[in-house]
């Protein structure tokens, strides 16, 4: 094992070049490859296997490694597993100091898991799988991936376990635009921590404190997600959307169990929502005002609690900048509250804030540790975009379409011709360049439409078979964003909401949520030239520099990855056209 003591950096720039990061302990399994401070590739396993989130976060599945994502990373670099210099796994089994990891995380089977010794069995299974992960990587790869994964060499000798919240924190700070920042991590749980406080400065990342199990804002949100009839560790963003329709009727209930101290610590008393509000909603049940109000009250409780934690972190560090990661940091309504009412001047959130991002964070943490001096110049570059996934050439795509006897045409001016289709109020699937890393479609694998007519939200929700209450989000040219949304400057990752400007509200009704906000993506030409040009052409036709952007998938499916995925999704969904690289496929 590679051992780099906490707080110390290697004093020499030596061999390590390629560092592979792996997230596999819970869910959102993913791999990332970095080399000398630069990101080479990063992707979630779900995009290759079509199993959303890669797997469920249960002990039985802990052994599963993101082999396809690893293979993709190696392929991008033109190397094999043997060429990787270090491997960083984003969970440290030695960090588990108390038993019963699954006592609260594995509630699904709580009726059969009643005795403490049974919990202990699950913990043992979980930790053994993690300790055996190097052997699983060496021997457990699928046969069809043997080209790059067989003969991996001394994998155990290259292996390093990285603390889960350190990995989240590294993913938040090292790719951020800041030289110095406070870092706040919030998730369900890591080894013991559920909340992490750090201070980052160039190549240094030091943990200040943590909040440990069983007190977890992430798990509180998961618990209510389950109560409201959704899938926990997956559908929390639906609860956030539901919250906009509610009132803070039950906020005092949440306040009665969440206790925030003056020392950055908080506790959450155990409670049974069924005793408070009766039987939970079942998946097929209709939504009632009760559900909206519970979601709203939970959201408000989360926001006011995290505001207090952020204030404490600010008081401790005096930093002007805040970086965030962890699954809770995907809550873009909460992020906006921290931005607007918190003490920090600037807030940056890792776009892959969930556990997938720990693959990147673990790799970057190890890379920085091994290759820098703590007091040296900043080693890692800011992450300007998320396009770290696979891409395919025109030749590959055309060959596939010819083979499949598919009707297609080549476009001469992709941006202009696509904008004209969108201006006719048609809904298109847009597949361009490298796939996004993280849960959001940001113009590489997107469904795009005009925001000008109010019925577009309902049309899209119908086409994607989504719940009616879910909003769709806008993408706007970065230069024009301030004219359309209050207070927005740069928001490339769709991680914050902003109010739609009053004088523009009736121009883009489809993207204005019931509370008057929108989850904005801004784009500049450097980030994705073709995407930018498309919106610019749409603006030339309509006067509106905004499109609706939602993920290129259908209900229950991960976002598409390969051309085959895109074409299958297109032909089995009522989209009007698919623009895939230089080609267009249209329906009659
Ligand atoms: Fe996490």
């Amino acid at each position: 094992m590679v051992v780099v003591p906490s707080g110390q950096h290697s004093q020499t720039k030596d061999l390590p070049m390629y560092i592979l990061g792996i997230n596999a302990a819970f869910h959102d399994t993913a791999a990332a490859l970095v080399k000398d401070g630069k990101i080479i590739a990063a992707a979630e396993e779900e995009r290759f296997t079509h199993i959303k989130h890669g797997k469920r976060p249960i002990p039985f599945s802990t052994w599963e490694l993101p082999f396809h994502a690893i293979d993709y990373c190696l392929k991008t670099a033109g190397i094999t597993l043997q060429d990787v210099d270090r491997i960083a796994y984003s969970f440290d089994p030695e960090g588990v100091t108390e038993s019963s990891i699954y006592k609260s995380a594995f509630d699904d089977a709580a009726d059969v898991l009643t005795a403490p010794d049974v919990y202990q069995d699950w913990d043992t299974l979980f930790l053994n799988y993690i300790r055996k992960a190097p052997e699983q990587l060496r021997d457990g790869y699928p046969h069809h991936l043997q080209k790059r994964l067989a003969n991996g060499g001394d994998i155990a000798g290259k292996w390093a376990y990285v603390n889960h919240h350190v990995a989240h924190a590294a993913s938040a700070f090292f790719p951020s635009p800041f030289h110095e920042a406070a870092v706040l991590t919030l998730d369900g749980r890591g080894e013991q921590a559920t909340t992490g406080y750090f201070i980052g400065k160039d190549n240094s990342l030091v943990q200040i404190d943590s909040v440990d199990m069983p007190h977890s804002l992430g798990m509180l949100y998961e618990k209510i997600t389950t109560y409201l009839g959704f899938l926990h560790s997956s559908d929390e963003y639906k609860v956030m959307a539901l919250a906009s329709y509610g009132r803070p009727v039950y906020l005092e209930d949440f306040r009665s169990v969440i206790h925030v101290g003056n020392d950055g610590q908080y506790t959450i008393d155990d409670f049974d929502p069924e005793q408070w509000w009766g039987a939970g909603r079942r998946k097929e049940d209709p939504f009632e005002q009760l559900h909206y109000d519970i979601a709203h009250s939970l959201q408000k409780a989360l926001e006011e609690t995290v505001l207090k934690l952020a204030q404490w972190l600010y008081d401790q560090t005096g930093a002007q900048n805040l970086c965030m990661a962890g699954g809770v940091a995907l809550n873009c309504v909460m992020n906006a509250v921290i931005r607007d009412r918190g003490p920090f001047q600037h807030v940056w959130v890792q776009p892959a804030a969930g556990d997938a991002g720990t693959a990147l964070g673990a790799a970057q943490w190890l890379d920085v540790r091994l290759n820098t001096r703590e007091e040296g110049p900043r080693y890692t570059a800011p992450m300007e975009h998320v396009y770290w996934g696979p891409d395919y050439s025109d030749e590959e795509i055309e060959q596939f379409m010819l083979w499949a006897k598919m009707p297609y045409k080549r476009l001469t001016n992709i941006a202009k011709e696509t904008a004209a289709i969108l201006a006719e109020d048609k809904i298109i699937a847009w597949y361009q360049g490298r796939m996004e890393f993280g849960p959001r479609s940001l113009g590489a694998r997107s469904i795009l439409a005009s925001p000008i007519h109010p019925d577009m939200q309902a049309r899209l929700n119908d086409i994607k078979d989504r719940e009616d209450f879910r909003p769709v989000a806008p993408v706007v040219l970065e230069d024009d964003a301030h004219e359309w949304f209050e207070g927005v400057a740069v928001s490339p990752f769709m991680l914050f909401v902003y109010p739609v400007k009053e004088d523009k509200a009736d121009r883009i009704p489809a993207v204005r949520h019931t509370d008057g906000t929108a989850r904005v993506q801004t784009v500049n030409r450097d980030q994705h030239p073709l995407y930018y040009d498309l919106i610019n052409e749409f603006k030339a036709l309509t006067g509106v520099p905004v499109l609706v952007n939602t993920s290129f998938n259908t209900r229950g499916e991960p976002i598409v990855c390969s051309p085959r995925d895109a074409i299958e999704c297109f032909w089995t969904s009522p989209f009007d056209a698919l623009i895939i690289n230089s080609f267009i496929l249209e329906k009659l």
Side-chain angles (χ1 to χ4, degrees), residues 367-441:
D367 189 21
V368 169
R369 290 271 156 167
L370 294 173
N371 287 320
T372 71
R373 293 174 186 275
E374 193 162 338
E375 69 279 10
R378 179 177 164 141
Y379 177 67
T380 49
M383 190 173 168
E384 308 279 4
H385 63 77
V386 292
Y387 309 113
W388 303 110
D391 66 345
Y392 297 82
S393 67
D394 272 2
E395 291 69 30
E396 289 173 292
I397 292 171
E398 187 165 33
Q399 200 172 29
F400 175 69
M401 292 190 297
L402 284 169
W403 174 80
K405 299 182 178 176
M406 210 160 295
Y408 68 90
K409 285 189 293 189
R410 185 184 284 269
L411 296 173
T412 50
N413 186 327
I414 299 168
K416 200 173 181 121
E417 292 173 67
T418 305
I421 296 169
L422 290 166
E424 292 173 8
D425 251 357
K426 292 186 175 174
I427 296 172
I428 66 149
W430 174 256
Y431 181 105
Q432 298 292 341
R434 295 188 72 174
M435 184 182 72
E436 301 90 342
F437 179 52
R440 306 267 182 266
S441 281

Side-chain angles (χ1 to χ4, degrees), residues 28 37 47 52 111 175 236 273 276 348 388 397 443 516 520 529 538 580:
D28 290 333
R47 309 294 165 87
K52 207 160 186 181
D111 53 337
E236 282 70 20
W276 284 3
W348 190 86
W388 303 110
I397 292 171
V520 177
F538 184 79
I580 182 165

Side-chain angles (χ1 to χ4, degrees), residues 133-427:
E135 285 92 330
Q136 169 67 358
L137 179 57
R138 187 189 64 202
D139 299 330
Y141 55 85
H143 187 251
H144 66 279
L145 300 181
Q146 63 176 310
K147 181 179 170 187
R148 278 175 282 273
L149 294 175
N151 307 312
D154 180 18
I155 289 172
K158 303 172 183 177
W159 195 272
Y161 289 109
V162 178
N163 176 278
H164 188 74
H165 273 255
V166 169
H168 272 311
S171 80
F173 177 64
F174 290 130
S176 79
F178 310 129
H179 282 274
E180 192 167 352
V183 183
L184 176 61
T185 57
L186 295 156
D187 71 357
R189 68 163 300 159
E191 295 81 359
Q192 297 298 138
T194 64
T195 302
Y197 303 107
F198 300 78
I199 180 81
K201 188 173 182 213
D202 289 324
N203 303 321
S204 155
L205 180 64
V206 176
Q207 184 150 15
I208 299 168
D209 208 343
S210 66
V211 178
D212 291 347
M213 285 293 289
H215 307 295
S216 167
L217 289 166
M219 283 194 174
L220 171 65
Y221 217 94
E222 289 178 10
K223 181 173 181 164
I224 302 301
T225 299
T226 300
Y227 177 77
L228 291 174
F230 298 111
L231 182 65
H232 76 76
S233 310
S234 174
D235 291 347
E236 282 70 20
Y237 64 104
K238 296 183 183 177
V239 177
M240 184 188 76
L242 214 59
S244 305
Y245 296 89
R247 301 157 302 182
V249 176
Y250 306 106
L251 180 54
E252 287 305 324
D253 289 335
F254 286 107
R255 283 176 174 163
S256 74
V257 294
I258 303 172
H259 312 286
V260 182
N262 296 320
D263 51 359
Q265 296 294 308
Y266 63 84
T267 61
I268 301 177
D269 301 337
D270 196 19
F271 68 97
D272 180 358
E274 299 211 342
Q275 286 195 348
W276 284 3
W277 306 305
R281 176 183 168 270
R282 290 169 304 176
K283 187 171 182 285
E284 61 278 10
D285 290 346
F287 290 102
E288 298 170 9
Q289 193 59 42
L290 171 77
H291 306 128
Y292 299 132
D293 292 342
I294 291 169
H296 186 93
S297 304
L298 169 70
Q299 179 68 26
K300 290 294 167 204
L302 174 74
E303 291 165 8
E304 66 179 26
T305 304
V306 177
L307 262 182
K308 291 176 189 167
L309 307 184
Q311 183 65 51
W312 179 83
L313 181 58
Y314 176 80
D315 292 341
Q316 295 300 304
T317 62
Q320 298 303 302
N321 306 313
L322 175 67
C323 300
M324 291 199 293
V328 180
L330 289 172
N331 189 311
C332 53
V333 178
M334 178 198 81
N335 293 348
V337 169
I338 304 300
R339 176 198 67 204
D340 294 341
R341 292 164 47 198
F344 295 96
Q345 285 188 10
H346 304 286
V347 182
W348 190 86
V349 181
Q350 161 58 237
D355 277 0
T358 65
L360 176 63
Q364 288 202 306
W365 185 87
L366 194 59
D367 189 21
V368 169
R369 290 271 156 167
L370 294 173
N371 287 320
T372 71
R373 293 174 186 275
E374 193 162 338
E375 69 279 10
R378 179 177 164 141
Y379 177 67
T380 49
M383 190 173 168
E384 308 279 4
H385 63 77
V386 292
Y387 309 113
W388 303 110
D391 66 345
Y392 297 82
S393 67
D394 272 2
E395 291 69 30
E396 289 173 292
I397 292 171
E398 187 165 33
Q399 200 172 29
F400 175 69
M401 292 190 297
L402 284 169
W403 174 80
K405 299 182 178 176
M406 210 160 295
Y408 68 90
K409 285 189 293 189
R410 185 184 284 269
L411 296 173
T412 50
N413 186 327
I414 299 168
K416 200 173 181 121
E417 292 173 67
T418 305
I421 296 169
L422 290 166
E424 292 173 8
D425 251 357
K426 292 186 175 174
I427 296 172

Side-chain angles (χ1 to χ4, degrees), residues 514-525:
T514 183
D515 60 3
T517 66
R519 186 164 48 107
V520 177
Q521 178 195 4
T522 62
V523 64
N524 63 46
R525 201 164 191 288

Side-chain angles (χ1 to χ4, degrees), residues 17-62:
M17 291 171 62
Y18 285 110
I19 300 185
L20 177 68
I22 295 174
N23 171 57
F26 296 115
H27 64 157
D28 290 333
T29 46
L33 189 69
V34 303
K35 181 188 180 190
D36 293 342
K38 295 187 173 55
I39 304 169
I40 304 296
E44 290 103 321
E45 182 73 354
E46 64 165 24
R47 309 294 165 87
F48 304 94
T49 61
H50 297 192
I51 298 170
K52 207 160 186 181
H53 301 294
K55 60 185 181 182
R56 291 297 289 159
I58 56 172
F60 273 145
S61 71
T62 306

